[in-house]
Amino acid sequence: ARFALKEVQGRVMSIATVHRSLYETTTEGRVRADELLGSTIGKLIRAGVGHETGLKSAETYEPVVLYPDQAVPLSLLAAEASTNALKYVGRPTGGAPYVHVSLTQIAPDMARLAIENSKGVALVPPEQVSGTGLGSNLIKAFAQQLGGKLTVEEDDLHYSVIVDFPIADFDDAETDSGISEME
């Protein structure tokens, strides 16, 4: 019960952090997703596993501008997938455990969020890990909200969650909503 409450607390804190960051990074209805993820996921990873584990983390965020309607599910998806990565990260034979998070713009109208963790000897004791499937279901739901394609890749060495999603076109959206450009 204590572990379940800690998980729920972590999810609520993620949501609160996302909303606070949105207010700090939103300009004219646009959100720099790279800045938002940099502030939320960085804190999550640093808080997730102690320094004594030797966890190597890497974050790479390209500038991607989104509407808040896209930034919220993207941030929550990234937080949930990062939490799962930290929960199940393992120490590979002969190497350091790692978690990598990246946001890249793969086309003018498409972006990719990727979260990868190493597999091996578990850093979190198995008795402290409770796999209910809620995290996976939330990741699927957030990917669907983004209109994205969710791909999971797994082998003996790593586990990756990859979401390719369309970037909403600001010009089309402003025109569609009745806002016209001044000439």
Side-chain angles (χ1 to χ4, degrees):
R2 191 178 334 199
F3 182 77
L5 287 174
K6 186 175 179 180
E7 257 188 80
V8 169
Q9 179 185 20
R11 286 188 173 105
V12 170
M13 291 304 295
S14 292
I15 292 169
T17 301
V18 166
H19 283 281
R20 183 177 58 248
S21 295
L22 270 176
Y23 288 115
E24 292 171 358
T25 61
T26 301
T27 310
E28 299 174 15
R30 299 171 190 211
V31 177
R32 286 277 309 265
D34 53 312
E35 293 173 359
L36 178 62
L37 292 180
S39 67
T40 57
I41 302 306
K43 290 175 191 171
L44 179 71
I45 290 174
R46 285 187 296 279
V49 176
H51 296 291
E52 68 279 356
T53 63
L55 178 74
K56 304 289 183 196
S57 65
E59 299 171 70
T60 307
Y61 305 113
E62 291 181 3
V64 175
V65 179
L66 302 174
Y67 279 114
D69 288 352
Q70 285 187 295
V72 170
L74 175 68
S75 299
L76 294 173
L77 188 157
E80 196 61 45
S82 296
T83 298
N84 277 356
L86 291 168
K87 189 173 168 181
Y88 296 108
V89 67
R91 184 178 308 282
T93 304
Y98 66 84
V99 173
H100 297 161
V101 181
S102 66
L103 176 67
T104 54
Q105 189 160 344
I106 57 176
D109 62 345
M110 289 292 290
R112 172 176 290 156
L113 173 70
I115 294 106
E116 178 182 343
N117 64 276
S118 58
K119 291 176 62 177
V121 177
L123 296 186
V124 178
E127 63 273 7
Q128 291 182 13
V129 176
S130 169
T132 63
L134 177 60
S136 295
N137 288 335
L138 287 171
I139 290 167
K140 289 175 190 171
F142 295 137
Q144 187 175 23
Q145 267 187 295
L146 281 169
K149 178 183 180 248
L150 173 66
T151 305
V152 174
E153 296 176 356
E154 181 176 17
D155 60 28
D156 293 341
L157 303 175
H158 80 282
Y159 182 90
S160 297
V161 172
I162 302 160
V163 180
D164 293 340
F165 63 95
I167 299 171
D169 187 348
F170 287 96
D171 294 334
D172 289 346
E174 288 172 357
T175 303
D176 292 344
S177 67
I179 301 171
S180 60
E181 296 182 52
M182 297 179 125
E183 294 184 33

